[in-house]
Amino acid sequence: MFKKATTLIATLCALVALTALGVSTASAAPAKANVGGGTGILVDKDRGTASACTLTAIGRDQNNILVGLTAGHCGPAGKAVFVEAAQGLGPVGQVTFTHRDLDYAIVRFDSAKVNPVQRVGGVTIRGIRTQAPTFPEIGCKQGRTTANTCGITWFSDGSAHTSQICVVEGDSGSPVVVGDRLVGMVNAYYFIGCIGPETGTNIKPILDDLPARGITAFHVV
């Protein structure tokens, strides 16, 4: 697995990372923000500009704590997380861990500020499928920048997949689903956004790594 993960990162480093700089204006604060796989988030906002990414999934761990996943390059551990559409709430969570090889991050959410939802835009996540997407399955994603797009899966090696899903900057972390099952996340694209193929980490190696980070169970909401 580690060999495959190293290969994935070597590839991703040669691609265009999908993190955008968020500069949108804060909105009036609602009581809580609806948050799910596909929600636009801002990380490391204290720099003046923030990394704009997309949440992969939200769920609860073995202690019923509200946690989520996104792309690892969106921000390091310790950085605050904001909901882009509800910045008036202030920080709603914090990045607690990033995995460089698999390029995923764990976010711990404040349940007083976040209402977890299954559906965001055109994607509904009702469960997780650990089987990697394979050719010629159609995968879909909900992204902060390009919203809901779908495309054929070209290749998967178990740890990572390559598809024709349209993605650009800001779509990092977007959930990749087959039907209503989460199968992976978006991490980068080849060559030109929405023309070159998308690539990302599959969900199984992430789930397999979570127990080492103190999360022995992850149940999507």
Side-chain angles (χ1 to χ4, degrees), residues 46-208:
D46 57 348
R47 296 183 306 175
T49 57
S51 296
C53 286
T54 305
L55 192 71
T56 308
I58 193 167
R60 297 190 182 275
D61 69 5
Q62 71 278 3
N63 298 315
N64 206 37
I65 294 171
L66 201 58
V67 295
L69 304 172
T70 190
H73 64 264
C74 292
K79 296 301 182 181
V81 175
F82 295 73
V83 174
E84 187 172 20
Q87 295 177 52
L89 280 174
V92 299
Q94 184 180 62
V95 178
T96 60
F97 172 78
T98 59
H99 195 298
R100 182 174 180 179
D101 288 346
L102 293 176
D103 194 23
Y104 87 90
I106 299 170
V107 178
R108 180 167 178 166
F109 286 104
D110 181 351
S111 59
K113 294 183 176 182
V114 169
N115 178 44
V117 296
Q118 288 185 328
R119 183 174 181 85
V120 176
V123 163
T124 301
I125 300 174
R126 292 195 175 94
I128 293 173
R129 194 188 88 177
T130 56
Q131 178 188 355
T134 58
F135 177 83
E137 282 188 302
I138 300 298
C140 296
K141 76 97 180 60
Q142 179 70 33
R144 172 256 183 197
T145 308
T146 57
N148 183 218
T149 60
C150 301
I152 190 170
T153 301
W154 296 119
F155 173 77
S156 179
D157 67 358
S159 292
H161 65 267
T162 301
S163 80
Q164 203 57 47
I165 297 172
C166 167
V167 298
V168 297
E169 286 80 359
D171 289 329
S172 280
S174 296
V176 176
V177 300
V178 174
D180 60 6
R181 302 293 153 167
L182 180 69
V183 296
M185 72 167 61
V186 171
N187 291 95
Y189 61 80
Y190 292 86
F191 312 122
I192 301 173
C194 287
I195 297 176
E198 168 269 343
T199 188
T201 307
N202 293 334
I203 195 64
K204 186 178 188 304
I206 295 174
L207 295 178
D208 289 345

Side-chain angles (χ1 to χ4, degrees), residues 25-56:
T25 303
S27 57
K32 280 189 176 184
N34 289 334
V35 176
T39 295
I41 58 173
L42 302 176
V43 183
D44 199 9
K45 191 179 174 184
D46 57 348
R47 296 183 306 175
T49 57
S51 296
C53 286
T54 305
L55 192 71
T56 308

